């Protein structure tokens, strides 16, 4: 069964929007073993839309069209499908009653812009939209089922989960079971890892497809098999990779550094506090983004200025004037202050120069000091990351979480990134 | 001049990666007036890659291929171009010397995996890669210039900026000047806005193309003209929209709520502190993400537990037990405590129920209390957002920043979202 995707929207072509919808669609149909084979993205132009819909519909069994269902003039999907199928646009009673209920709940009057969303090609089947004002719809065109979905991610997700994924699973059951085993790693580069595999596993079996995804900050590794019969070989490969990569593995599936840390702290029944300068709250936010964070995290300190490092964390003024805010002494004092004021068991503290300004010859932009540990032992490390401000904040957050993860797991080995990333003194 | 994009990578098809590269490419060629006309995304399969490259090369003048330059087995771009052009893969001396330098700088030995990146189709031109180990390359195929670029976003960005965008600008100068005027809004939905425009500007000129992008959390509005001669009409439309939308406009181009607030506070020479419970550091992180934040922001408090609200912000225990942590009284006390401990001029404080657990009949998941203002006057508002945890944290952050923005601008009008989003008591 072949599924293709057609994404529409000028914003997708001009660089003003990053498309997250297609990844979501792929993820949600993967559960029933389905896979997007090809996707095409074009702007909001009626003629182009009709041409591309026709061309794709000839190549696949299901065409999911995303975007262009909205109330505005640049929303053209219903019109395009009407042209393609030569069915007139008519007001669909189900779409209208959906819109009425939607407006009622929000105490809004129905307006002409919204009414446009009820004008659909004759003969379509309606797909409910749990949260938005525009329903989805589908139509058989020759041998292709064309499914039109909204561009708003939250609406799309519910529609995919509640209606479209079950429809596809039901209508096109998959016999050949593709199965992927995914895990996340941090601290080894893609080429180093590939070379380690080449050297230590030259007998890699053809049945197991090896895939990589350079994320920020994690590197994802995937082992894909095309048949359930190869499950054992897949598992063997995974175990050998586990031996090879050891403590660089964060966890299975989409496990993040924050999730890993929360789980480790929960097991120990211990808590964490965070004192942040250059990351400005990002480490705390990455922890509290995870449901259940409150079991291990009670307080964080964003001490952006020197005065606040003194006042909120009790950092000694002399340490700041003698060593500077970006120093082992100051991050240690920040971590100590955070432990003391929050009564947490573990602490992370970071202070660095995110840029674009503020660097010096001794401490260039990209320099950071990280402290991590507990009352008994606080470790510090200086690192250097050449990345623009936001990227710097993200990699510093990730690295500080990884250092705490290594501490919680009592990993003694020094991570490779200490060698590659250590600041040159 | 027609430019198309071919994105390769299984990770783009399986839902494990969101493609941000194509938006970046589009943005970086927009400067010279160029626009991506169509993009196609496929998985890592050699035959499919060759077929798609051939089909696209017949439809355009420039084909930018992104991804598949890496050292691993699933990186197939050079091989595909070699098949298509019928040119053998040879070790390219420039690619080799680049790799040698790259490894030397990192004190790494050259390994076989990396050497794969130096095997390129005979006859390609090399495009330097300022940070990564794999060079880019281009080849004329019939009447199409095929340009192969790396999938790692930071490498791609530098290569686009330093080599490819100048190459395109130079080789294909644009006479017809497309010009887009963009601005950001918060607090009005897409359909309401379209209806406002329909009602108040029924004479919208055909020369100005109106576009919307539903971002999270901002709604972007774009006015595009195809000729510089229409600049005045574009400006007139913009001014009428400004009158129509008034205080819902955040700023021009990609101006964020955080940037707007930093600029307003800088003008007043005043400072901000933030006390966060349910957003867990996200509001502080969105402020400190902006370069120059240190001029207006010195400290933030992430007080996730009740004990920390008392200890770090001096919230009275009785307020917590009488009214609960999610209440007007507690967010007011949090804001007061933050102002007092940080000596800032303005404060934001939020406390809410991010879910998935923790809701009650009176205060369901999605309820939040926000306090904002200064020592003289603190305002509070209860709102309700039905969004999953991460989305809830994002919309609460944005709303709290918008409320402070309105305060700093002395906007007296009550925002529409107070009516639509107010919690039902």
């Amino acid at each position: 069964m072949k599924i293709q995707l057609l994404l529409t929207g000028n914003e997708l072509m001009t660089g003003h929007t990053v498309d997250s919808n297609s990844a979501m669609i792929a993820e949600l149909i993967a559960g029933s073993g389905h896979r997007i084979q090809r996707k095409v993205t074009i702007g909001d132009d009626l003629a182009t839309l009709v041409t591309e819909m026709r061309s794709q519909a000839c190549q696949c069994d299901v065409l999911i069209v995303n975007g262009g269902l909205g109330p505005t003039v640049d929303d053209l999907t219903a019109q395009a499908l009407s042209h393609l199928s030569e069915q007139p646009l008519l007001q669909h009673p189900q779409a209208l009653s959906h819109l009425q209920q939607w407006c009622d709940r929000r105490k809004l009057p129905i307006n002409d812009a919204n009414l446009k969303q009820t004008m659909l090609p004759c003969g379509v089947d309606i797909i409910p939209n749990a949260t938005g004002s525009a329903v989805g719809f589908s139509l058989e065109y020759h041998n292709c089922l064309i499914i039109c979905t909204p561009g708003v991610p939250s609406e799309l997700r519910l529609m995919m989960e509640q209606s479209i994924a079950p429809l596809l699973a039901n209508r096109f059951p998959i016999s050949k079971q593709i199965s992927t085993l995914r895990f996340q790693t941090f601290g080894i580069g893609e080429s180093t890892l590939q070379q380690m595999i080449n050297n230590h596993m030259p007998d890699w079996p053809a049945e197991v497809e090896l895939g990589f995804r350079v994320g920020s900050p994690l590197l994802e590794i995937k082992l894909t098999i095309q048949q359930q019969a190869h499950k054992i070989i897949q598992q063997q490969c995974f175990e050998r990779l586990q031996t090879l990569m050891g403590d660089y593995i964060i966890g299975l599936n989409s496990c993040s550094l924050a999730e890993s840390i929360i789980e480790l702290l929960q097991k120990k029944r211990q808590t964490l506090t965070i004192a942040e300068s250059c990351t400005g709250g990002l480490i705390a936010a990455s922890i509290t983004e995870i449901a259940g964070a409150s079991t291990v995290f009670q307080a964080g300190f964003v001490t952006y200025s020197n005065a606040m490092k003194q006042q909120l964390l009790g950092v000694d003024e002399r340490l700041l004037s003698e060593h500077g805010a970006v120093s082992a002494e100051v991050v240690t004092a920040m971590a100590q202050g955070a432990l003391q004021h929050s009564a947490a068991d573990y602490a992370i503290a970071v202070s660095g120069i995110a840029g674009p300004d503020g660097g010096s010859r001794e401490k260039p932009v990209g320099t950071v000091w990280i402290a991590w540990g507990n009352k008994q032992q606080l470790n510090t490390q200086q690192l250097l990351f050449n990345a623009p401000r936001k990227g710097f904040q993200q990699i510093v957050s990730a690295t500080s979480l990884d250092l705490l993860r290594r501490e919680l797991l009592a990993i003694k080995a020094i991570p490779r990134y200490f060698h590659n990333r250590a600041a040159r003194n």
Side-chain angles (χ1 to χ4, degrees), chain A:
Chain A
M1 213 265 300
K2 291 181 180 173
I3 305 182
Q4 291 200 13
L5 216 56
L6 175 58
L7 299 152
T8 74
N10 284 337
E11 71 281 9
L12 298 172
M13 306 311 289
T14 52
H16 296 139
T17 295
V18 168
D19 154 45
S20 59
N21 284 355
S22 55
M24 185 207 297
I25 293 174
E27 202 187 329
L28 293 175
I29 63 168
S32 50
H34 291 296
R35 193 170 176 148
I36 306 288
Q37 190 204 30
R38 178 169 174 268
K39 69 184 183 211
V40 176
T41 313
I42 52 173
D44 297 313
D45 174 74
L46 189 60
T48 313
L49 207 52
V50 176
T51 308
E52 200 67 56
M53 253 188 209
R54 182 177 289 122
S55 147
Q56 283 192 278
C58 297
Q59 295 175 42
C60 61
D61 305 299
V62 175
L63 174 62
I64 302 179
V65 181
N66 183 245
L69 298 196
T72 56
V73 286
D74 54 0
D75 291 305
L76 299 166
T77 298
Q79 222 177 316
L81 187 60
S82 159
H83 276 253
L84 178 70
S85 62
E86 297 176 346
Q87 296 292 334
L89 288 174
L90 298 174
Q91 185 159 66
H92 198 292
Q94 242 179 296
L96 181 62
S97 72
H98 170 83
L99 177 65
Q100 270 163 341
Q101 286 170 24
W102 188 88
C103 287
D104 286 352
R105 274 203 307 275
R106 281 158 189 77
K107 299 175 198 131
L108 293 171
I110 290 190
N111 59 39
D112 290 343
N114 274 332
L115 279 176
K116 171 175 169 293
Q117 298 175 312
T118 67
M119 300 298 290
L120 303 179
C122 185
V124 297
D125 287 326
I126 296 294
I127 305 171
N129 184 334
T131 54
S133 59
V135 293
F137 46 91
S138 66
L139 190 71
E140 292 279 354
Y141 174 74
H142 296 188
N143 286 318
C144 178
L145 177 66
I146 301 180
I147 304 176
C148 300
T149 60
V152 179
S154 57
E155 298 178 18
L156 173 65
R157 176 174 285 279
L158 286 171
M159 194 179 286
M160 286 300 304
E161 286 174 345
Q162 294 172 357
S163 306
I164 299 170
L167 182 152
L168 293 180
N170 197 27
R171 193 159 154 173
F172 304 96
I174 286 277
S175 56
K176 191 171 95 170
Q177 280 286 343
I178 296 169
S179 167
T180 298
L181 203 156
R182 283 196 301 143
F183 61 98
Q184 307 293 327
T185 72
F186 181 80
I188 297 189
E190 195 188 3
S191 76
T192 306
L193 179 58
Q194 176 76 63
Q195 192 60 40
M196 283 163 71
I197 293 171
N198 291 355
N199 292 346
H200 295 273
M201 301 173 72
D203 55 339
W204 188 275
E207 295 87 350
V208 182
E209 182 194 324
L210 178 64
F212 299 89
R213 182 180 71 86
V214 183
S216 76
L218 301 179
L219 172 66
E220 179 177 281
I221 302 176
K222 284 179 297 179
L223 308 181
T224 304
I225 51 171
Q226 302 292 328
Q227 289 170 39
Q228 289 299 308
H230 298 143
K231 267 270 173 214
I232 293 167
I233 314 178
Q234 184 190 38
Q235 188 58 34
Q236 284 167 347
C237 284
F238 174 60
E239 280 161 20
R240 289 177 66 190
L241 278 178
Q242 273 189 308
T243 311
L244 191 61
M245 300 195 61
D247 46 87
Y248 294 92
I249 297 179
I250 307 304
L252 283 177
N253 300 318
S254 58
C255 179
S256 68
L257 283 161
E259 281 171 299
S260 158
I261 281 181
I262 290 172
E263 199 188 317
L264 289 167
L265 287 167
Q266 281 174 337
K267 277 189 195 149
K268 287 177 184 277
R269 299 179 176 279
Q270 300 220 289
T271 58
L272 167 67
T273 184
I274 300 164
E276 304 183 57
S277 186
C278 60
T279 48
L282 192 61
I283 309 178
S286 70
I287 292 283
T288 55
E289 183 187 310
I290 312 296
S294 58
T295 53
V296 304
F297 181 80
Q298 297 192 9
F301 304 80
V302 185
T303 53
Y304 217 55
S305 69
N306 283 357
M308 288 299 129
K309 289 179 184 73
Q310 293 171 51
Q311 186 167 329
L312 303 182
L313 297 171
V315 175
D316 194 325
E317 195 186 346
R318 279 177 308 174
L319 290 182
L320 286 160
S321 56
E322 276 174 31
H323 304 283
V326 180
S327 64
E329 291 78 4
V330 167
V331 285
T332 304
M334 286 170 69
Q336 285 164 342
L339 285 170
Q340 198 187 324
H341 288 90
S342 70
D345 303 299
Y346 283 88
I348 290 172
V350 297
S351 182
I353 302 147
D357 307 318
S360 66
R361 233 188 74 120
E362 298 76 38
K363 292 176 186 172
V365 167
T367 305
V368 64
W369 273 98
I370 303 176
W372 71 100
N374 54 22
K375 273 165 224 161
Q376 285 72 50
Q377 198 199 336
L378 280 171
N379 316 285
T380 58
Q381 177 69 31
Q382 183 180 14
L383 294 164
L384 182 68
F385 297 103
N386 291 313
R389 187 175 177 91
K390 194 173 173 179
F392 170 83
Q393 292 173 323
Q394 285 169 339
I395 186 71
V396 168
S397 295
T399 304
S400 69
L401 292 175
D402 189 54
L403 290 170
L404 182 66
R405 181 187 69 88
R406 290 173 167 270
E407 180 74 24
L408 293 170
L409 287 167
I411 295 168
K412 295 288 170 227
I414 289 167
R416 281 164 174 267
Y417 52 79
F418 276 13
H419 306 301
N420 307 343
R421 295 290 184 179
R424 289 148 211 142
N425 287 315

